[in-house]
Amino acid sequence: MEKTSRDPAMTDVARLAGVSHQTVSRVLNNHPNVREQTRLRVKAAIKELDYRPNRAARALVTGKTQLIGVVAQNSTLYGPASLLSAFEEAAGEAGFAVSVGRVKVLDRDSIAAAVERHRDQRVAGIVVIAPNSSAADALADVPAGVPLVTVDGDPDRPTPLVTVDQAMGAFEATKHLIDVGHETVWHVSGPADWFDAAGRVDGWRSALDATSAEVPPVVAADWSAASGYRAGQMLARMPEVTAVFCSNDHLALGVLRAMSERGKNVPHDVSVVGFDDVPEAAYFIPPLTTVRPDFAAVAHETLGLLLEQISDGETTRPRRTVAPTLVKRNSVAPPPR
Amino acid sequence: MEKTSRDPAMTDVARLAGVSHQTVSRVLNNHPNVREQTRLRVKAAIKELDYRPNRAARALVTGKTQLIGVVAQNSTLYGPASLLSAFEEAAGEAGFAVSVGRVKVLDRDSIAAAVERHRDQRVAGIVVIAPNSSAADALADVPAGVPLVTVDGDPDRPTPLVTVDQAMGAFEATKHLIDVGHETVWHVSGPADWFDAAGRVDGWRSALDATSAEVPPVVAADWSAASGYRAGQMLARMPEVTAVFCSNDHLALGVLRAMSERGKNVPHDVSVVGFDDVPEAAYFIPPLTTVRPDFAAVAHETLGLLLEQISDGETTRPRRTVAPTLVKRNSVAPPPR
DNA sequence: GCCGGTGATGTTAGCGATAACACCAGGTCG
DNA sequence: CGACCTGGTGTTATCGCTAACATCACCGGC
């Protein structure tokens, strides 16, 4: 009962299977030149010993780790949090572990420090979730040579980037409202320095332009339900407002509440559309029509882009967008006549 | 301009500093027997080369990684998410990286799989955030010998555990309501299989018992604002209800909305207290009196417990609770007369 | 002034994997 | 029928670090 006996190593497996450790290595790495019978013997030995390869040893000799570093804000916002989950899952499937470096604020110093920590870990690549401009600016400091993909970052920067097609989602949401008969659509926007918010403003505006609808002023808010509520209180007072597209579902929730307090019925008096499709959106009163970003797809694209850089050093098509889908529920109706 | 030149290794630093690589190692590990002057020379060389120790090599020879695995639910709930952030921060300060293994549902198989993935990574220790009974049950499968700490887990299980003192927080919240004059306090509870929820029920009940107040039936809900709203609609109809303690802030938000819709003023007609102190709580209408758990403290205790196990193999005092604090805002007042 | 102790440093031997090459049997080909 | 390939396997060197031991100068005590 030797408690201290170390974990089995490759040589232990080799001895048990009656081969050399190198053959074990070949089996593990799926090299072609191993006889089927040998392969089976080795696999049996691996199973019997509950052998697991030592990643440190492998990393030492190959010079590569199976670790991906993610830099994300210390945030509980739905979008970033979902993205992170999805990415962890995708990376896990590809045999990579994910080391998360949270950052309190997305400023230059914090991001640089997080990136440094990851480089200390010798991660194979780094993903930065950089949804606003201060974060994007910080990326200028990241030394070249480290495979890096930005998610939700600055579309105008030349780094490899994956993002939800915000403009497209906003366009479809707005178009949908116009298609059911609204003359124009008002917009409650997220913080101006967030690319997501900016993209949604763009999409909204171009949908209005495309149909020559009048473009009302943007109602600026942050992402919170509270600010949506304040925006909604204002909009509820204006009889000409029949349709509102909100930059996220929480804002929409606030608008919904404000409308209901002022006796406006959604959707019959005012239609409301959100963005994100948070889990609760289907349980809002009324269930919210909203735009659903495909976080799993974003995660997969991100991982793909990163793995390309890791193996080739280069990458084709370094910018990828993922199309969101409009989820129709009960918060949209034709305008009152 | 040799792009391919490998990263500097310890011998490179040694050569530049005119010492042996072992001396460099000693400097890096803060061994006492190095002359100050030598230490400075080595540090200068490290800086000049931007040398960073190869963790894989170190892990290989020491048999230990600087990685901690966390198993957490794929969740955006405030409590777990905050805890995770706090833990990542604490671990980072201690020089550990954190590898997160998300799990979709907290069942036996998923948790076992996540633990296996972490063991493949040869993590130094594992933290499981196991806030409900199915998760806690799954821990029975984790093989002994892996340093493991449970957070928010089953208080009745003998494994090392760190948790917020839910009962104490609930006790204080309830006591506060009674102290300002309420005859009794109603409780809107979280899901029964969550330990947090159960602990809060216990604390509430014992505060009532301590003052011989009548114990009304528990109003069961999940964690969502929607369920809090439904509970609130019921409570608002009952004139004898003057004080409500909610198991989290989202429930409280729902109750607040239901009260306001029925024309009940908070705090003058009904007092409401929450739990969690989510960032928005101060912006609720009215600003919410609530119980703030100290997630940073939980994270530090967890890390401490884990590091003890990692180094000693054993641990003293394997159960730790962290006291929350009552944050008084404007949702509590004496009952109407 | 020799001896043992001590502080500062160097030397050597692995940790557990992969890469590169060596080797050997058996088949192919001129 | 010997040179040559080729699939299957073993041998050896190596990655970058730490542990353990070796070395050496210098100290104080008897």
Side-chain angles (χ1 to χ4, degrees):
Chain A
M1 284 303 174
E2 342 116 64
K3 273 271 177 206
T4 38
S5 71
R6 77 202 192 312
D7 288 349
M10 203 173 256
T11 50
D12 301 317
V13 176
R15 198 176 317 116
L16 182 60
V19 296
S20 77
H21 66 119
Q22 179 60 7
T23 298
V24 177
S25 170
R26 279 192 268 258
V27 170
L28 249 38
N29 294 288
N30 293 313
H31 274 257
N33 295 351
V34 180
R35 223 184 342 159
E36 192 55 26
Q37 183 193 336
T38 313
R39 185 185 303 276
L40 292 176
R41 266 217 319 283
V42 170
K43 285 198 169 168
I46 288 174
K47 182 163 263 174
E48 181 173 342
L49 295 177
D50 187 27
Y51 163 77
R52 20 191 116 214
N54 185 320
R55 301 202 179 218
R58 177 180 292 174
L60 181 56
V61 66
T62 59
K64 292 170 190 285
T65 56
Q66 294 283 100
L67 238 197
I68 293 176
V70 176
V71 179
Q73 190 173 20
N74 191 343
S75 146
T76 53
L77 283 179
Y78 178 73
S82 307
L83 202 45
L84 187 54
S85 293
F87 186 76
E88 282 165 353
E89 197 173 331
E93 281 166 11
F96 279 80
V98 172
S99 166
V100 181
R102 302 265 182 162
V103 132
K104 277 192 195 138
V105 284
L106 286 168
D107 63 7
R108 233 177 156 100
D109 289 350
S110 314
I111 292 192
V115 167
E116 272 311 287
R117 287 206 306 278
H118 280 142
R119 294 189 63 206
D120 275 356
Q121 294 284 334
R122 283 189 153 65
V123 296
I126 297 179
V127 173
V128 181
I129 301 180
N132 64 27
S133 41
S134 71
D137 288 348
L139 295 179
D141 295 341
V142 176
V146 184
L148 181 101
V149 175
T150 310
V151 180
D152 266 1
D154 187 346
D156 293 335
R157 217 170 267 268
T159 53
L161 172 77
V162 179
T163 160
V164 170
D165 194 335
Q166 313 288 354
M168 179 193 185
F171 184 94
E172 297 213 340
T174 309
K175 184 91 184 338
H176 173 55
L177 288 163
I178 289 175
D179 285 350
V180 301
H182 294 274
E183 301 239 322
T184 190
V185 177
W186 290 65
H187 180 50
V188 179
S189 159
D193 66 329
W194 282 60
F195 303 117
D196 294 3
R200 291 168 200 177
V201 170
D202 289 346
W204 162 76
R205 199 187 309 271
S206 60
L208 295 183
D209 286 348
T211 54
S212 308
E214 194 196 335
V215 180
V218 169
V219 181
D222 55 39
W223 295 120
S224 72
S227 72
Y229 177 71
R230 287 190 294 273
Q233 284 181 313
M234 189 184 80
L235 294 170
R237 256 186 264 118
M238 303 164 62
E240 72 271 30
V241 174
T242 63
V244 181
F245 165 55
C246 299
S247 202
N248 81 354
D249 289 353
H250 289 109
L251 290 170
L253 179 62
V255 169
L256 249 32
R257 181 178 160 195
M259 292 296 169
S260 120
E261 280 188 11
R262 293 195 82 88
K264 296 241 179 181
N265 180 285
V266 176
H268 300 302
D269 299 326
V270 178
S271 292
V272 175
V273 177
F275 205 115
D276 269 358
D277 195 25
V278 300
E280 311 90 73
Y283 304 98
F284 287 179
I285 308 168
L288 187 70
T289 291
T290 186
V291 178
R292 169 164 39 207
D294 186 346
F295 292 119
V298 171
H300 277 104
E301 292 289 350
T302 304
L303 185 63
L305 219 44
L306 197 62
L307 295 184
E308 262 185 35
Q309 281 189 69
I310 289 170
S311 52
D312 311 0
E314 285 304 317
T315 184
T316 51
R317 214 161 57 81
R319 329 190 56 72
R320 308 205 183 162
T321 56
V322 173
T325 54
L326 184 67
V327 180
K328 295 181 187 171
R329 298 206 179 92
N330 306 329
S331 63
V332 172
R337 309 181 304 129
Chain B
M1 286 300 177
E2 342 115 65
K3 274 271 175 206
T4 38
S5 72
R6 77 202 192 311
D7 288 348
M10 204 173 256
T11 50
D12 300 318
V13 176
R15 200 176 316 116
L16 182 61
V19 297
S20 76
H21 66 119
Q22 180 61 9
T23 298
V24 177
S25 170
R26 279 192 268 256
V27 169
L28 249 37
N29 294 288
N30 293 313
H31 274 257
N33 295 352
V34 180
R35 223 186 339 160
E36 192 54 27
Q37 183 193 337
T38 312
R39 185 183 303 275
L40 292 176
R41 268 218 319 282
V42 170
K43 285 197 167 168
I46 288 174
K47 183 162 262 173
E48 181 173 341
L49 295 176
D50 188 27
Y51 164 77
R52 24 191 111 216
N54 185 319
R55 299 203 180 217
R58 176 180 292 173
L60 181 55
V61 64
T62 59
K64 292 170 191 285
T65 57
Q66 295 282 101
L67 238 197
I68 294 176
V70 176
V71 179
Q73 191 173 20
N74 192 340
S75 146
T76 53
L77 283 179
Y78 179 75
S82 306
L83 203 46
L84 187 53
S85 293
F87 186 76
E88 282 165 351
E89 197 174 330
E93 281 166 11
F96 279 80
V98 172
S99 166
V100 181
R102 300 265 182 162
V103 134
K104 277 192 196 137
V105 285
L106 285 168
D107 63 6
R108 232 178 158 100
D109 288 350
S110 314
I111 291 191
V115 168
E116 271 311 287
R117 287 206 306 277
H118 280 143
R119 294 188 62 208
D120 275 356
Q121 294 284 335
R122 281 186 155 69
V123 295
I126 297 180
V127 173
V128 182
I129 302 179
N132 65 26
S133 42
S134 71
D137 289 348
L139 295 179
D141 295 341
V142 176
V146 185
L148 182 101
V149 174
T150 310
V151 179
D152 264 1
D154 187 347
D156 293 335
R157 217 170 265 270
T159 54
L161 171 76
V162 179
T163 161
V164 169
D165 194 334
Q166 313 289 354
M168 178 191 184
F171 184 94
E172 298 213 339
T174 309
K175 184 90 184 338
H176 175 54
L177 287 163
I178 290 175
D179 285 349
V180 301
H182 294 274
E183 301 241 321
T184 190
V185 177
W186 290 65
H187 180 49
V188 179
S189 159
D193 66 329
W194 281 61
F195 303 117
D196 293 3
R200 292 169 199 177
V201 170
D202 290 346
W204 162 76
R205 199 187 309 270
S206 60
L208 294 183
D209 287 348
T211 55
S212 308
E214 194 195 335
V215 180
V218 169
V219 181
D222 55 40
W223 295 120
S224 72
S227 72
Y229 177 71
R230 287 190 294 273
Q233 284 181 314
M234 190 184 81
L235 294 170
R237 254 186 265 119
M238 303 165 62
E240 73 270 32
V241 174
T242 63
V244 182
F245 166 54
C246 300
S247 202
N248 81 355
D249 289 353
H250 289 110
L251 290 169
L253 179 62
V255 169
L256 248 33
R257 181 178 161 197
M259 291 296 168
S260 121
E261 279 188 12
R262 293 195 81 90
K264 295 240 178 182
N265 179 285
V266 176
H268 300 301
D269 299 327
V270 178
S271 292
V272 176
V273 177
F275 206 114
D276 268 358
D277 195 25
V278 300
E280 310 89 75
Y283 304 97
F284 286 178
I285 308 169
L288 187 69
T289 291
T290 185
V291 178
R292 168 163 41 206
D294 187 345
F295 292 119
V298 172
H300 277 105
E301 292 288 350
T302 304
L303 185 63
L305 218 44
L306 198 61
L307 295 184
E308 261 185 36
Q309 280 189 68
I310 290 170
S311 53
D312 311 0
E314 285 303 318
T315 183
T316 51
R317 215 162 56 82
R319 330 189 56 73
R320 307 204 182 163
T321 56
V322 173
T325 54
L326 184 66
V327 179
K328 295 181 187 170
R329 297 207 180 90
N330 305 330
S331 63
V332 172
R337 309 180 305 125

